[in-house]
Amino acid sequence: MNLEQCASVVQGAFLSRIQTSPSMEAVKLPVYTLKEMNEWLSPDPTSSEYQQDIHVAKDRLGSLPLAKEGLVLISLTGQRAVALQQEHVGKLIPSNFAIIEPLCELHPDYLEWFINEHPDCRKQLKIATQGSSVTALSIQMLRTLDIILPPMDVQMKIGSIHRLLHRKNRLLQERMVWEQQYIKQLLMGYLEEESR
């Protein structure tokens, strides 16, 4: 089954075409960035608080692609996917992402896992970007991406296990960071005692 048979696939907004100067007729929107996607997918819990914002005309708000739960984004250059969560809601999605909105029995967490982990999908994505000087996926290629669509209960199990494993890895990484900081402080304490 092709992805376009069970989801709409569109490109994000070209920021240069919609950006305006700060004014009474403009609204400031946070932008979903590739850095944010990479931090979300990474098991490393450290993240920066930097937020990219853009001003857009209020009258264009209704036509802009804004993040909402249930959408899946694919980085057109990094070929990685993320199922958007509550903390992403309301962010403007730029043109370096494809936006996938499931239209039928397609679970977002399953689709994230399938795109990022399934060997057949990874192979399709790799082939799609070979022979090009710019290794970027096209929206049309993504629409014709072959996907395996098991029953919804199976998709939910796979997606849930994938999400829980990701969370476990982040927590383990966070624990390691805390342990390293604790040991560092402990060792510095020993030095301070010796110098008294």
Side-chain angles (χ1 to χ4, degrees):
M1 171 180 287
N2 288 343
L3 184 57
E4 70 181 340
Q5 292 175 280
C6 55
S8 74
V9 183
V10 296
Q11 191 165 3
F14 288 89
L15 300 185
S16 60
R17 294 181 189 168
I18 61 169
Q19 187 167 9
T20 187
S21 302
S23 69
M24 294 298 285
E25 292 80 39
V27 63
K28 186 165 96 171
L29 285 177
V31 177
Y32 188 87
T33 62
L34 192 56
K35 186 173 191 292
E36 190 172 355
M37 174 188 241
N38 290 335
E39 287 172 355
W40 179 259
L41 292 172
S42 167
D44 186 357
T46 57
S47 65
S48 63
E49 295 300 315
Y50 173 75
Q51 175 66 55
Q52 181 182 344
D53 295 313
I54 184 174
H55 287 87
V56 297
K58 286 180 185 176
D59 60 352
R60 296 191 74 174
L61 267 181
S63 63
L64 297 177
L66 299 179
K68 62 182 181 180
E69 276 189 275
L71 295 180
V72 177
L73 300 186
I74 298 181
S75 165
L76 294 174
T77 53
Q79 303 164 12
R80 302 288 288 164
V82 67
L84 295 180
Q85 305 297 311
Q86 182 61 40
E87 56 263 39
H88 305 125
V89 171
K91 293 186 177 188
L92 180 66
I93 302 168
S95 60
N96 55 332
F97 293 104
I99 306 163
I100 301 172
E101 184 168 12
L103 301 174
C104 64
E105 296 285 308
L106 178 60
H107 197 277
D109 288 343
Y110 168 78
L111 185 58
E112 176 187 310
W113 168 83
F114 185 81
I115 290 168
N116 291 339
E117 306 296 337
H118 196 281
D120 290 348
C121 186
R122 298 305 308 157
K123 185 177 178 183
Q124 287 180 75
L125 296 176
K126 186 176 180 180
I127 290 170
T129 56
Q130 282 180 342
S132 171
S133 58
V134 179
T135 58
L137 296 170
S138 72
I139 298 298
Q140 187 53 41
M141 180 276 152
L142 289 173
R143 288 180 179 142
T144 60
L145 185 71
D146 288 328
I147 65 167
I148 299 167
L149 200 61
M152 183 57 90
D153 62 326
V154 174
Q155 290 182 51
M156 289 174 70
K157 282 179 193 171
I158 291 171
S160 179
I161 291 168
H162 170 69
R163 180 81 44 212
L164 289 171
L165 181 62
H166 177 73
R167 186 164 185 265
K168 176 187 173 188
N169 289 339
R170 280 187 83 97
L171 290 171
L172 287 171
Q173 192 69 29
E174 191 174 337
R175 178 180 161 193
M176 284 176 51
V177 168
W178 285 110
E179 284 176 355
Q180 288 172 354
Q181 289 176 353
Y182 172 73
I183 290 171
K184 188 176 182 180
Q185 287 179 340
L186 193 64
L187 296 175
M188 292 301 289
Y190 289 150
L191 273 181
E192 288 172 11
E193 283 178 20
E194 285 298 315
S195 62
R196 285 182 196 157

